[in-house]
Amino acid sequence: MTFNAAALLLLIAGLALIGWIAGRARSNLLAARAQAKLHSRPQYHGWYVALWLFAPAALFLAVWSAVSPGLITNDVLASEAAKDLPAFGFERGAILSDARNVAQGKQDAVRIPAAAPLVAPYADATHLYAWIGIGAMLALALAGGLYAFTRIKPDFRARTRVEKIVMLVLLLASLVAILTTFGIVLSLLFESIRFFRLVSPAELLFGTNWAPTSGAPQDDTFGGIPLFWGTILIGAIIAMIVAIPIGMMTAVYLTQYAAPRVRRWVKPLLEILAGVPTVVYGYFAALTVAPALREFAVMLGIPNASTESALAAGIVMGVMIIPFVSSMADDSINAVPQAMRDGSLALGATPNETIRQVLIPAALPGVMGGILLAVSRAIGETMIVVMAAGLSANMTANPFASVTTVTAQIVKLLTGDQEFDSAKTLAAFALGLVLFVVTLLLNIVALRIVKKYREAYE
Amino acid sequence: MSRTTSPTDWKGGAMQARIAKRYAAERRFRLLGLLAVLASGAFLAFLLFVMVGNGLRGFTYTNVAVPIDFKAMPLTVDASRLGDADADQVIAGAGLADIVAFAADEALGDGGSAMISENAWKEVRTAIKADPELLQGSTVFHLPASSEVDIAAKDGGKGATGAKVDALERDGKLSTGIHWPFFRNADATDPAVAGIWGALKGSVLTIFIAFLIAFPTGVLAALYLEEYAPKNRWTDLIEVSINNLAAVPSIIFGLLALAVFINWFGICQASALVGGLTLALMTMPVIVIASRNAIKAVPPSIRDAALGVGASPVQVVFHHVLPLALPGILTGTIIGMARALGETAPLLLIGMRAFIGDVPGGICSPATVLPMQIFLWSDEVDRGFVEKTSAAIIVLLIVLLSMNALAIYLRNKFEKRW
Amino acid sequence: MTQDDLTISDPKMTAHNVNVFYGEKQAINDVSIDVGTELVTAFIGPSGCGKSTFLRSLNRMNDTVAGAKVTGHIALDGEDIYAPSMDVVQLRARVGMVFQKPNPFPKSIYDNVAYGPRIHGLAPNKSDLDGIVEKALMRAGLWDEVKDRLGESGTALSGGQQQRLCIARAIAVDPEVILMDEPCSALDPIATAKIEELIHELRGKFAIVIVTHNMQQAARVSQRTAFFHLGTLVEYGKTTDIFTNPKQERTKDYITGRYG
Ligand SMILES: Nc1ncnc2c1ncn2[C@@H]1O[C@H](COP(=O)(O)OP(=O)(O)OP(=O)(O)O)[C@@H](O)[C@H]1O
Ligand SMILES: [Mg+2]
């Protein structure tokens, strides 16, 4: 007997259905008997019973699924058989999970002999807590259901109650966003503070030497400037040099020149470009663009040409951003009132004079906001730089050389085999915090500009 | 006193030259716009061309014909056990691998066993399990070649291996067929048997979980914000949170998941469950924003009409507004899910980059996802993985494009002008 | 020639058998009209009857509407404006337009007025440009109000000032005809009076065509009035005749307010 949360959820859903039918029937019955008119339609009484039956039990189920594995393990560890377990580390974990898998029927036999004596205690504890859990859950469900059932009366305001609950659920759903934001802020802050106990914030923000894996922990340095520079070079300079002109001109062409038929074809094309996953862009950059650029650089005689060049990552990232820039610019240009365009054309301006001298200046705030959002996207982009930009922290303006970025280093620091609490892994969170703060500021400023701009033309 | 001629000499030479210049600028500008569009198109075409060019080869594989005579080299297993659950171990224990290697040496000459994949004997094993009669006679098996031979054969026989491959080719011992293991298996270190099924299933599980969480939460939150939320600072805070979350780099969600889900709650690491939770948090704001736009587009007159006949605010929303907004909500959701499906960065941080040789059994078992598989293969040194990577990309792109096409179809079909 | 003659011996613009279509839909049906050089011509008629459409076909602004098609013959100084040899950019410089809602560019007052002369290269140097701007603002009756703040944004002016700025912008390129599409409908009575005064002053220098819904306005500012109904030109004549002694029953009904 194991505790299968999904099956139990189905079980209480089934019970809730029965509760729904019963509540409905009872309200009808009572109304008929008392010859009174129901305040709420019968199905609301049904919903009332079903919710009371389902919600507490489901809540308990969630809590129980989270805590019961811990309780089981505690029991097993307290048993006689657990005395011989190695005290720490990987082996202990492996033995325990081996025994658990056998006890819960996921595996036919133990793979590690030392796990064999633990199987029986595991099975016992699993049974015990499963029964406790199921019993408590059913008791809760029945208690809730009965409570609601007895409250049904013809004049009972079931609909109001149900609607109150619905509103509560809606409110809770929208709080998830705040919760996520707080979760991000708190977890980044928490780990970063631990990092800053080891390394001063000044070193991270202003240090010029990045060597977190020098081999000897005391020699590790965490100077972030080379990463910040690499991030800016790739995301804010090279990518934007590619994305802004092409994206803007695409938007201009589509909004001002293209026939509707052309627009119908080009728009999905841009959507495809926007929908290509970043890992594909990264692979393309590393496989095709980077080697070609390196050959080109060698031909020009540029020193330090690398197959992991800032240029390759930046160009491909720029292409990735094109649809984003073009759709933001498209929106901004479209938001400029038609009267503005007509006014210019009626003076005998050509379309391109109208676009350059009237439409784009008028759309500029919106476009700027869009570009800030694009920059925020580019500097947070990970896969392209992980795959194509390399990991060497160089401070160079040579686009053919290899640089590294904040995101690439976060990945590097967290995918090795370090202890979770080492300065290296904590450094990843500190970098994450920097990245989060910068993108947050960019986003807030950009969204504010865009909003102001929209209001200006409404 | 009538003034018939204009003081500005529009027909004059200087003015005509000026006009000509302005029109030239106009044409240049227009051309520039066209070039910009073409540049995007060309890049996309080039990318697809490269991926398809490399990837199509990944769907096929070279097989080598190897006759195995089980009368000469008997495999001593109890035929009655071939149907058992542990038949694989039984056959492996009986030394089938050696028999196959020996037969390959025999048939292909010295080093013949190196020309077939080291996992080729597993194909024989599968065949034997399906038809135990094979053990009684001699059969020609078409076994997967080694990665090196496969590449040489596809390249038309170049390099050191090329000569041998040419020889095999002339003897008619090579054949090419669809590489079924690619669709059937999970990851492996040998390109001959590495497949995307494990990653595909991992992706499906992950996305399913993300959808189960993000869709209801997102839609309900959108309903609240659009229909009921009072105008106060809490609501503002929620709105700002959502707008910012939609623009937060995805890798930050990976950090959040690592710190909260894995280190605090200890949810099974590298599993579809954590992956799904992470992607759910990431997609939810997207769904909220799309849903709000769809809800906003439902005209207020419909709400007034429903309120006018005595519906409660909750009834108005669930009976009238939500059904009308649903197509728009679904479109946004599909696009959000497609984005989540192509996402790699946050999953890197929660351990999904580990090598996983098994198809995931459940939502808590270690899993990988398709984009991650692509990332992992792109790092492999074995040349056989280059085409596998591109083939996996083709599969991923097909899935994503179909999702986007579905979204566009929905949008066009249900788009209403009120 | 006095302005009270109905026959216009020397018309600035002539339109013969003009039809305008928006896709399948015909908005103007066989309209012929002459616009005199020194006259103000008013177009009146109920909403949706095609006044704006016809007006916009006089400087080919309909070209910017996808699916719009014009047939028939429209000439400026005898030159067919829909002929391939006609340059639409120059045409619009010669036939200026003022819109219903003031639409100054989000630029400074100076740059708004200088925009046209700059693109058409009408001023060889800065002082010429200054002169053009000053003269245009002067003619538009705005100079005294804005001469100290030419660098301020045009959108910061009041509605009536904005509309006069748009008129200044139009006359800065020295057009021969000015088309005005309900130029006062977004303005209060005082601003309206200013614009009407302005129209009086501009008469004689430009041929002016004005669309209006305001009968009194048409009577006050124009010498010729054309009454449109359902895409056709019902009656065209001296303003005094149209308002005191209309020949057509429909015209009479309209100006007496029977329908509108
Ligand atoms: N861009 C367009 N596309 C299609 N039909 C149009 C377009 N513009 C105007 N129409 C139609 O052409 C007809 C004439 O419109 P027009 O704007 O010329 O009327 P109007 O006389 O100026 O009206 P109002 O006094 O309200 O400004 C109307 O029926 C209108 O619906
Ligand atoms: Mg009009």
Side-chain angles (χ1 to χ4, degrees):
Chain A
M1 179 76 229
T2 58
F3 191 73
N4 184 337
L8 290 176
L9 199 65
L10 270 181
L11 174 68
I12 50 174
L15 286 178
L17 181 65
I18 295 173
W20 189 83
I21 294 169
R24 211 176 98 115
R26 181 170 168 81
S27 67
N28 270 332
L29 190 72
L30 286 182
R33 210 183 282 158
Q35 305 245 307
K37 208 168 159 306
L38 282 171
H39 167 270
S40 307
R41 304 242 310 279
Q43 62 258 43
Y44 283 103
H45 292 96
W47 277 113
Y48 183 70
V49 175
L51 277 171
W52 262 105
L53 206 153
F54 184 81
L59 208 65
F60 174 79
L61 186 63
V63 173
W64 192 250
S65 324
V67 299
S68 69
L71 293 175
I72 294 174
T73 312
N74 271 347
D75 262 27
V76 173
L77 291 181
S79 74
E80 268 311 283
K83 280 212 198 97
D84 306 331
L85 271 179
F88 290 111
F90 184 72
E91 217 188 324
R92 180 188 167 98
I95 293 173
L96 282 174
S97 81
D98 199 27
R100 183 171 55 232
N101 283 345
V102 177
Q104 298 178 352
K106 286 180 193 157
Q107 215 168 282
D108 292 335
V110 290
R111 291 179 184 154
I112 309 167
L118 290 174
V119 172
Y122 244 120
D124 289 346
T126 309
H127 273 265
L128 178 67
Y129 284 104
W131 281 121
I132 295 177
I134 293 170
M137 189 196 76
L138 286 178
L140 261 179
L142 290 182
L146 276 178
Y147 166 75
F149 194 71
T150 52
R151 294 197 58 184
I152 295 178
K153 306 225 165 48
D155 62 347
F156 178 62
R157 297 171 172 259
R159 198 196 71 221
T160 332
R161 307 277 166 149
V162 171
E163 291 188 344
K164 272 214 180 98
I165 298 173
V166 170
M167 291 299 278
L168 188 71
V169 171
L170 294 191
L171 178 65
L172 287 180
S174 63
L175 287 182
V176 172
I178 292 196
L179 215 62
T180 312
T181 307
F182 274 115
I184 290 176
V185 172
L186 288 183
S187 60
L188 291 181
L189 265 183
F190 187 69
E191 308 291 345
S192 299
I193 288 171
R194 288 168 67 192
F195 174 73
F196 290 137
R197 281 205 207 112
L198 306 172
V199 178
S200 85
E203 181 185 342
L204 180 75
L205 291 178
F206 307 113
T208 53
N209 188 11
W210 177 261
T213 45
S214 57
Q218 65 278 7
D219 293 341
D220 288 349
T221 56
F222 295 91
I225 293 283
L227 314 190
F228 303 147
W229 166 244
T231 306
I232 291 173
L233 179 66
I234 293 180
I237 300 178
I238 300 175
M240 289 304 130
I241 289 178
V242 174
I244 293 175
I246 299 187
M248 284 294 295
M249 284 311 291
T250 303
V252 162
Y253 187 79
L254 289 184
T255 54
Q256 307 298 317
Y257 290 114
R261 211 163 45 94
V262 176
R263 256 202 308 274
R264 262 209 309 282
W265 280 99
V266 175
K267 280 254 164 100
L269 182 140
L270 287 173
E271 274 169 27
I272 294 177
L273 209 55
V276 172
T278 54
V279 70
V280 176
Y281 279 116
Y283 182 61
F284 184 70
L287 180 83
T288 314
V289 181
L293 283 175
R294 195 189 108 89
E295 245 155 62
F296 179 66
V298 168
M299 211 177 71
L300 294 180
I302 291 171
N304 295 329
S306 161
T307 43
E308 301 190 317
S309 64
L311 197 56
I315 289 179
V316 173
M317 195 186 285
V319 172
M320 183 192 89
I321 304 274
I322 288 175
F324 186 75
V325 173
S326 109
S327 91
M328 292 296 292
D330 199 319
D331 289 349
S332 308
I333 293 175
N334 271 330
V336 178
Q338 178 72 17
M340 218 65 98
R341 188 165 164 252
D342 283 353
S344 173
L345 291 176
L347 284 169
T350 59
N352 110 68
E353 288 159 350
T354 304
I355 292 161
R356 285 203 315 223
Q357 300 183 34
V358 177
L359 293 188
I360 291 186
L364 204 57
V367 172
M368 286 309 294
I371 288 175
L372 286 187
L373 284 180
V375 170
S376 130
R377 268 213 165 175
I379 65 178
E381 168 49 38
T382 309
M383 294 320 289
I384 294 178
V385 288
V386 166
M387 296 169 85
L391 291 166
S392 39
N394 293 324
M395 290 268 276
T396 170
N398 175 2
F400 291 98
S402 170
V403 298
T404 190
T405 69
V406 173
T407 50
Q409 289 299 324
I410 293 177
V411 170
K412 163 106 190 298
L413 291 170
L414 286 178
T415 49
D417 294 324
Q418 294 91 358
E419 283 292 300
F420 185 73
D421 293 353
S422 73
K424 296 176 191 43
T425 56
L426 294 178
F429 284 90
L431 287 179
L433 184 65
V434 174
L435 181 64
F436 179 71
V437 169
V438 171
T439 52
L440 188 72
L441 288 180
L442 281 173
N443 294 338
I444 289 180
V445 172
L447 290 176
R448 192 149 290 171
I449 295 179
V450 170
K451 199 169 161 210
K452 267 247 173 70
Y453 166 73
R454 295 257 154 81
E455 279 163 5
Y457 285 126
E458 254 160 24
Chain B
M1 64 168 268
S2 82
R3 195 199 64 179
T4 45
T5 53
S6 151
T8 308
D9 182 14
W10 294 105
K11 300 270 180 277
M15 194 47 95
Q16 288 304 318
R18 202 189 141 77
I19 288 276
K21 246 171 68 189
R22 287 171 64 198
Y23 277 122
E26 173 68 26
R27 278 192 302 274
R28 274 198 307 276
F29 190 70
R30 197 187 162 120
L31 186 69
L32 223 57
L34 188 60
L35 285 180
V37 172
L38 290 181
S40 310
F43 186 92
L44 183 63
F46 184 46
L47 186 145
L48 293 180
F49 177 77
V50 169
M51 293 307 154
V52 172
N54 281 334
L56 284 184
R57 289 171 35 149
F59 293 118
T60 60
Y61 208 78
T62 309
N63 294 316
V64 186
V66 178
I68 303 178
D69 186 356
F70 285 110
K71 278 185 304 227
M73 296 171 289
L75 182 75
T76 43
V77 290
D78 185 352
S80 67
R81 295 200 56 193
L82 289 179
D84 291 359
D86 60 348
D88 280 358
Q89 282 95 319
V90 172
I91 299 177
L96 179 62
D98 295 336
I99 295 177
V100 172
F102 188 78
D105 280 337
E106 196 97 301
L108 311 175
D110 247 3
S113 58
M115 302 193 67
I116 59 171
S117 155
E118 59 194 54
N119 290 297
W121 63 273
K122 290 180 184 159
E123 296 288 313
V124 180
R125 179 174 67 186
T126 313
I128 291 174
K129 279 202 305 190
D131 179 13
E133 287 298 305
L134 291 176
L135 288 178
Q136 309 310 320
S138 165
T139 321
V140 178
F141 288 92
H142 293 273
L143 299 179
S146 72
S147 165
E148 221 178 318
V149 169
D150 176 55
I151 291 169
K154 282 171 181 166
D155 283 346
K158 282 198 271 312
T161 331
K164 286 193 206 165
V165 170
D166 277 346
L168 289 180
E169 184 86 72
R170 256 177 277 118
D171 295 349
K173 288 192 169 149
L174 293 186
S175 59
T176 309
I178 292 189
H179 190 211
W180 293 114
F182 180 73
F183 299 103
R184 255 193 336 239
N185 292 357
D187 196 7
T189 46
D190 177 5
V193 290
I196 56 166
W197 178 238
L200 211 53
K201 189 168 171 203
S203 272
V204 170
L205 285 175
T206 309
I207 286 303
F208 185 63
I209 290 168
F211 174 80
L212 276 189
I213 297 168
F215 180 69
T217 320
V219 174
L220 293 181
L223 282 177
Y224 179 75
L225 290 175
E226 213 42 61
E227 298 287 330
Y228 304 116
K231 203 84 206 103
N232 61 24
R233 290 174 56 199
W234 276 100
T235 309
D236 284 349
L237 191 64
I238 297 177
E239 295 210 12
V240 171
S241 292
I242 288 174
N243 288 336
N244 280 312
L245 283 180
V248 161
S250 60
I251 193 169
I252 300 283
F253 288 95
L255 288 171
L256 169 74
L258 175 60
V260 175
F261 295 150
I262 292 183
N263 287 330
W264 287 1
F265 291 157
I267 303 175
C268 14
Q269 188 166 3
S271 64
L273 183 59
V274 201
L277 280 170
T278 312
L279 295 182
L281 292 185
M282 208 188 83
T283 346
M284 198 205 60
V286 179
I287 296 180
V288 175
I289 292 174
S291 304
R292 288 187 71 175
N293 288 336
I295 294 169
K296 245 190 226 131
V298 177
S301 58
I302 288 183
R303 295 177 183 84
D304 296 344
L307 285 172
V309 297
S312 73
V314 170
Q315 287 171 326
V316 170
V317 165
F318 283 89
H319 295 173
H320 298 278
V321 177
L322 192 56
L324 288 173
L326 208 55
I329 294 176
L330 284 181
T331 308
T333 305
I334 295 173
I335 290 173
M337 288 336 280
R339 236 174 73 180
L341 187 58
E343 194 55 73
T344 324
L347 305 182
L348 271 175
L349 304 190
I350 53 171
M352 291 183 94
R353 90 180 287 185
F355 172 86
I356 307 221
D358 295 322
V359 176
I363 57 170
C364 217
S365 42
T368 195
V369 292
L370 202 44
M372 188 64 72
Q373 191 68 74
I374 292 167
F375 174 64
L376 292 173
W377 281 350
S378 75
D379 251 3
E380 290 279 348
V381 273
D382 190 324
R383 271 202 55 207
F385 277 109
V386 172
E387 56 189 47
K388 296 289 164 221
T389 311
S390 299
I393 286 178
I394 294 178
V395 173
L396 179 63
L397 285 181
I398 288 176
V399 174
L400 292 183
L401 287 186
S402 347
M403 284 175 78
N404 278 313
L406 178 67
I408 292 174
Y409 170 78
L410 272 179
R411 185 170 66 205
N412 290 345
K413 172 143 193 221
F414 291 103
E415 193 172 50
K416 277 206 192 82
R417 294 254 164 258
W418 300 99
Chain C
M1 178 185 105
T2 71
Q3 50 175 253
D4 288 319
D5 281 338
L6 180 55
T7 47
I8 299 167
S9 58
D10 181 19
K12 188 70 199 171
M13 294 195 82
T14 56
H16 284 298
N17 311 106
V18 173
N19 297 290
V20 184
F21 302 86
Y22 290 115
E24 297 287 287
K25 183 177 163 8
Q26 183 160 12
I28 287 292
N29 189 357
D30 197 29
V31 169
S32 301
I33 211 167
D34 285 357
V35 173
T37 305
E38 299 191 349
L39 301 175
V40 175
T41 309
F43 289 176
I44 60 171
S47 186
C49 65
K51 306 178 296 292
S52 301
T53 301
F54 185 68
L55 196 73
R56 287 165 66 91
S57 61
L58 294 180
N59 71 342
R60 289 183 58 177
M61 278 304 281
N62 278 335
D63 290 13
T64 65
V65 177
K69 199 178 92 207
V70 179
T71 65
H73 186 267
I74 303 178
L76 173 67
D77 284 339
E79 192 183 351
D80 182 2
I81 66 169
Y82 282 90
S85 62
M86 172 53 77
D87 179 61
V88 63
V89 162
Q90 284 189 349
L91 169 71
R92 289 185 193 145
R94 293 168 65 190
V95 184
M97 188 159 200
V98 175
F99 296 82
Q100 177 170 6
K101 255 176 71 188
N103 57 350
F105 303 136
K107 299 168 175 281
S108 70
I109 295 172
Y110 183 94
D111 286 338
N112 261 286
V113 182
Y115 180 76
R118 276 197 184 121
I119 56 175
H120 292 292
L122 300 183
N125 56 47
K126 175 87 171 97
S127 64
D128 284 348
L129 190 60
D130 288 349
I132 291 178
V133 170
E134 182 178 342
K135 194 169 139 216
L137 283 169
M138 210 95 95
R139 277 180 164 179
L142 195 60
W143 176 250
D144 290 332
E145 288 159 69
V146 301
K147 63 171 182 275
D148 301 323
R149 45 181 183 139
L150 291 175
E152 269 177 37
S153 170
T155 51
L157 296 172
S158 76
Q161 289 173 324
Q162 286 188 12
Q163 193 63 300
R164 278 179 283 149
L165 178 64
C166 291
I167 294 174
R169 189 175 70 187
I171 57 188
V173 285
D174 203 12
E176 299 154 37
V177 183
I178 299 180
L179 311 174
M180 298 185 174
D181 193 351
E182 302 182 42
C184 304
S185 65
L187 305 181
D188 65 49
I190 295 175
T192 302
K194 281 223 168 98
I195 304 271
E196 286 182 11
E197 204 178 304
L198 180 58
I199 292 172
H200 267 298
E201 271 157 35
L202 296 178
R203 182 163 77 85
K205 303 188 186 76
F206 310 97
I208 294 176
V209 183
I210 178 170
V211 172
T212 178
H213 274 270
N214 182 330
M215 298 308 135
Q216 284 79 19
Q217 184 172 63
R220 279 194 303 267
V221 302
S222 71
Q223 291 76 48
R224 293 285 181 275
T225 296
F227 171 59
F228 286 79
H229 188 223
L230 296 177
T232 57
L233 177 63
V234 176
E235 191 168 352
Y236 178 44
K238 284 185 208 162
T239 301
T240 43
D241 291 347
I242 297 270
F243 280 94
T244 54
N245 188 16
K247 295 194 181 64
Q248 301 285 332
E249 202 60 25
R250 278 193 285 175
T251 317
K252 193 158 134 203
D253 288 347
Y254 180 68
I255 59 178
T256 53
R258 206 78 54 83
Y259 62 88

